[in-house]
Every structure is written in structure tokens, then in C-alpha cells.
Amino acid sequence: MKSALKWDVIAKCGTTKARAAVLTLPHGPVNAPVFMPVGTQGTLKGITPDQLEGLGCQIMLNNTYHLGLRPGQELLDACGGAHTFQGWNRNLLTDSGGFQMVSLLKLAEITEKGVQFESPHDGSLMLLTPEHSMSLQNSIGADIMMQLDDVVSSLTTGPRVEEAMWRSIRWLDRCIKAHKKPESQNLFAIIQGGLDPALRAQCIEEMVKRDTPGYAIGGLSGGEEKDKFWRVVSQCTDLMPREKPIYCMGVGYAEDLVVCVALGVDMFDCVFPTRTARFGNALTATGTLSLRQAKFKDDFRPIEEGCDCIACKSYTRAYLYTIVTKETVGCHLISIHNTAYQLRLMRQVRESIIEDRFPQFIHKFFKDLFVEKSAYPEWAVNALKSVNVDLIQGEETQN
């Protein structure tokens, strides 16, 4: 199918499967590996588009299901799409609405035709079919659109997993047929199959035949064991086309990002940075600070030394302790910091790949975050060992 993107790999890690690339989209270049902040309903919670652009963000997410409800397709068409509507001049990726099959399961009914949702706002019904999802995403004008897939919880087992996998393939065909703007919007396929390696392999084999501009690993980050999570990710990156971008959906913890880059993933998204900010939690290279704790009441340091976000340049931990979870500006400032942290982390990862020192970066990252090797997550140790990085012994081998 047609593609409205250009994918240029500029460096490969000599040890892991990591790579640095430039993804050129209709609204500008995106440096990968990339973390994409999530603005579900047309905005990141607590951050303006100008502030997000000031942090160096090149691409963010919107959600098709939510924008289809409010403001609705008619208004999106009238204003020329979501870029104009929300004042965002850089790239957009839209989640098709499939994930709401899990998150709003009590409000959804799934059939071969599509998914019928009951609006959480007013109880009205919406039938989201592959065709309607494509129509909405064409109206939104996203630079990258996701196919409507049949999403089941990663904890689901049995025939339902295979059913969802095959239905996702059939729905991809319907999405391709319904997509009206392939010259300006890119449609990505989503690999399903749960935690079953055979189903994942079968799904990839079928979806690669459709030759979409990029591919996503779906159906993870739903509470499954991390040792199973990384094995699915690694299997998928081994089997998916390496000449196209690979996106792992719903991944946002710092250690997950670093490990998955090593396993060959290029793109990530998650609500975690802004969601955890609403509880007063600030992300740093040495771990999460719960700024609600009284120990910060007379701590006049910034959230993180060396961070140049407005929260760190202009405010102290003591000030944030005073207002966090009480005043909206506290959530606003921590959201800015957390988003800045995630974006900076990915820039550092990318630079280390380009300079072929990514394994050394991984060692320092884990040492800073966990201090003692005994505290390193076992799944991360196993995952990195599979790509020749030994966190415990510190001995790497070249591919």
C-alpha cells in the first residue's frame, strides 16, 4: 500500500538490536527511538501544546474513540482536523479505539462487524467498525493511524486469543480498503496473538503480506508477567520487517523503554508520565520522588539537578510539596517535568546508539535507577542478556 513516511536508519548498536533512525512524516521529522506522550482527548493533561513543543516533542497521541465522541467527526471536518483543532503543528498518531475494548469492556459489545460502545458521557451508543475508525482517523488527519484491532487482555487464554488475532487480520483488510488518504496518512498494522508465540508468528506472517508503512506490537502491558512480556517483544522484532518502524504500544516505564529499545523497538507511548504526576510522583534518573512526603517540606532543591524544564528551573521540592495534589499548578508542573524526563531519556538513548556506547548507557542507567545489582528486575536482566548485555557481570559480546 502507499506510504506517506520515510524511514532512515542512521545507526545500529553493535551489541543489541537497538537502532537510531529518522522517521519523516507529513508534519516533520521524528528522531527515533521515540517516546510519544498521550493526549487522549486532544490534549496532554496539564500541558499546553506550546509547552509540549518547547520540550522538543515531535509526535504525540490522540484517541479516535474519544475524539469521535467529543468534539465529533462533523466538527473535526469543519475545522480541518485535529492539528488545527488543538493547536498542534507537529505529528499526531491516533489509537484506533481498539484498546477501549479492554478499558471500557463493561460498556462494549464485540462482533465481527465492529465494537458497539456505550458512551461514558451520556450513555449513547456508538458502533466503531474498521470503516468508521478509518473515516474518523481520516477526519482527525493523524500522520500515523492505527488499524482497528480486536484487543483482548494479555491475561486472556484459550480460543478467544486466536479468534481476536484472526479478526484483527480481517479488520486490517477492511481498514486498508476504507483508508481514503494513504498519500498523506500512514496506516500501521497491529500484531496480536496474546502470549502465544505461534499465534504471534502467524499474525506477523499474515500482516506483513499487507505491507503497511509500519507495524505495532499490541496486546501487551496489561498485567502479564514481565518475563513473558519481553519474550513476545523480542520475538516480534525478530520476525517483523526491519526496514520499517516498529512500535510497542502502551509502554512507558523508564526501564521498559530502555530494555525494549535494546530488543529492537523504535516507538513507544503511555499515559504514565502525566497520570503518575496527578498523584504527586516525579520521575528522575534515580527513581520516583513522591513529593507528597513530608521529607520534602524543607528541601529547596529542584526535582532533578540538571533538568532544564520550567518546574526544575523555577521551583523547589518544598514548594511542590506544599501544593501537590492540592492545587492544579502542582500537577501541571510535575507533568511538565515527567514529560521532559521521558523525552530526554529517549534522546540520551538515541545519542548513545549513534555513538555506539548503548551497552555502557544501559549499565549506567540501571545503576543510577536501582543502585544495587541485587535490586535489578530479573526480567530486565534476562531480556538484556538475550541481546548480549550482561547487567550482572558487565561483559558484552558483539553481534
Side-chain angles (χ1 to χ4, degrees):
M1 63 183 298
K2 290 182 181 179
S3 175
L5 64 74
K6 186 179 179 185
W7 176 250
D8 296 306
V9 176
I10 62 173
K12 295 180 180 179
C13 175
T15 302
T16 70
K17 292 190 280 183
R19 56 192 183 169
V22 178
L23 172 62
T24 304
L25 294 167
H27 284 83
V30 176
N31 293 326
V34 60
F35 175 80
M36 302 178 287
V38 177
T40 300
Q41 301 189 59
T43 177
L44 261 70
K45 284 182 169 60
I47 302 179
T48 68
D50 284 348
Q51 289 172 327
L52 188 58
E53 186 172 338
L55 295 176
C57 180
Q58 298 168 317
I59 182 170
M60 65 173 284
L61 262 70
N62 283 174
N63 181 273
T64 299
Y65 167 74
H66 289 288
L67 290 182
L69 288 176
R70 294 191 309 183
Q73 189 167 14
E74 186 176 344
L75 194 147
L76 287 166
D77 285 335
C79 72
H83 288 88
T84 302
F85 183 68
Q86 66 196 46
W88 176 248
N89 299 316
R90 296 190 176 183
N91 294 291
L92 277 176
L93 182 150
T94 36
D95 178 355
S96 67
F99 179 70
Q100 277 64 48
M101 294 181 204
V102 175
S103 64
L104 298 176
L105 191 58
K106 292 180 181 178
L107 305 176
E109 180 184 355
I110 305 162
T111 66
E112 185 64 26
K113 188 174 182 180
V115 193
Q116 184 164 270
F117 290 100
E118 180 183 315
S119 169
H121 305 299
D122 61 9
S124 62
L125 295 179
M126 172 200 229
L127 178 62
L128 188 64
T129 64
E131 293 78 13
H132 187 37
S133 177
M134 287 297 97
S135 178
L136 285 172
Q137 292 186 76
N138 283 153
S139 293
I140 289 168
D143 302 85
I144 296 176
M145 315 188 310
M146 305 308 299
Q147 74 155 107
L148 184 66
D149 53 338
D150 187 353
V151 183
V152 296
S153 166
S154 58
L155 303 179
T156 301
T157 57
R160 177 72 181 97
V161 179
E162 183 171 4
E163 175 191 53
M165 185 271 284
W166 285 112
R167 181 173 287 145
S168 294
I169 295 169
R170 293 192 297 272
W171 281 2
L172 173 60
D173 287 335
R174 289 168 59 185
C175 286
I176 291 171
K177 187 176 180 180
H179 180 17
K180 302 302 183 186
K181 300 179 181 178
E183 73 286 344
S184 61
Q185 293 179 270
N186 299 281
L187 172 60
F188 279 26
I190 304 176
I191 307 301
Q192 292 293 346
L195 303 177
D196 187 324
L199 292 180
R200 287 282 177 174
Q202 200 165 16
C203 190
I204 292 170
E205 181 182 0
E206 287 297 322
M207 287 187 166
V208 166
K209 294 176 185 176
R210 277 68 176 176
D211 194 29
T212 57
Y215 296 90
I217 305 169
L220 296 177
S221 299
E224 71 278 358
E225 294 176 19
K226 279 299 189 63
D227 201 58
K228 293 180 178 178
F229 161 82
W230 79 258
R231 293 179 192 278
V232 171
V233 170
S234 192
Q235 178 199 12
C236 288
T237 59
D238 281 343
L239 298 178
M240 293 159 92
R242 296 296 285 168
E243 70 275 11
K244 296 187 177 184
I246 297 174
Y247 165 29
C248 192
M249 306 178 77
V251 171
Y253 295 145
E255 59 269 33
D256 294 13
L257 295 172
V258 172
V259 170
C260 286
V261 168
L263 296 178
V265 178
D266 308 298
M267 304 167 64
F268 307 89
D269 80 281
C270 193
V271 297
F272 173 65
T274 49
R275 177 172 288 173
T276 200
R278 297 197 288 277
F279 296 95
N281 298 321
L283 308 178
T284 78
T286 55
T288 300
L289 303 181
S290 177
L291 293 171
R292 294 170 297 168
Q293 295 181 357
K295 67 180 181 179
F296 295 113
K297 67 179 181 180
D298 54 2
D299 187 338
F300 298 108
R301 293 174 294 172
I303 296 173
E304 186 166 29
E305 297 287 351
C307 178
D308 62 357
C309 78
I310 187 173
C312 290
K313 288 195 298 185
S314 303
Y315 302 95
T316 66
R317 297 176 180 183
Y319 173 72
L320 292 166
Y321 164 77
T322 303
I323 64 170
V324 74
T325 71
K326 301 180 183 68
E327 302 290 343
T328 55
V329 72
C331 171
H332 170 71
L333 290 170
I334 299 175
S335 294
I336 289 175
H337 169 78
N338 287 354
T339 304
Y341 167 79
Q342 299 283 91
L343 296 174
R344 182 172 60 250
L345 172 63
M346 299 312 287
R347 286 194 294 269
Q348 292 169 342
V349 165
R350 188 172 190 274
E351 290 167 4
S352 73
I353 295 169
I354 293 171
E355 297 170 6
D356 203 15
R357 52 176 181 81
F358 184 48
Q360 292 89 335
F361 175 89
I362 294 172
H363 281 286
K364 184 177 187 306
F365 168 83
F366 273 88
K367 185 178 180 181
D368 289 346
L369 190 60
F370 296 101
V371 183
E372 298 294 335
K373 291 183 177 180
S374 59
Y376 291 179
E378 185 178 0
W379 74 269
V381 173
N382 293 338
L384 290 167
K385 200 164 188 177
S386 77
V387 285
N388 312 307
V389 175
D390 192 327
L391 280 182
I392 305 304
Q393 300 299 325
E395 296 173 0
E396 277 76 63
T397 58
Q398 296 288 310
N399 278 337

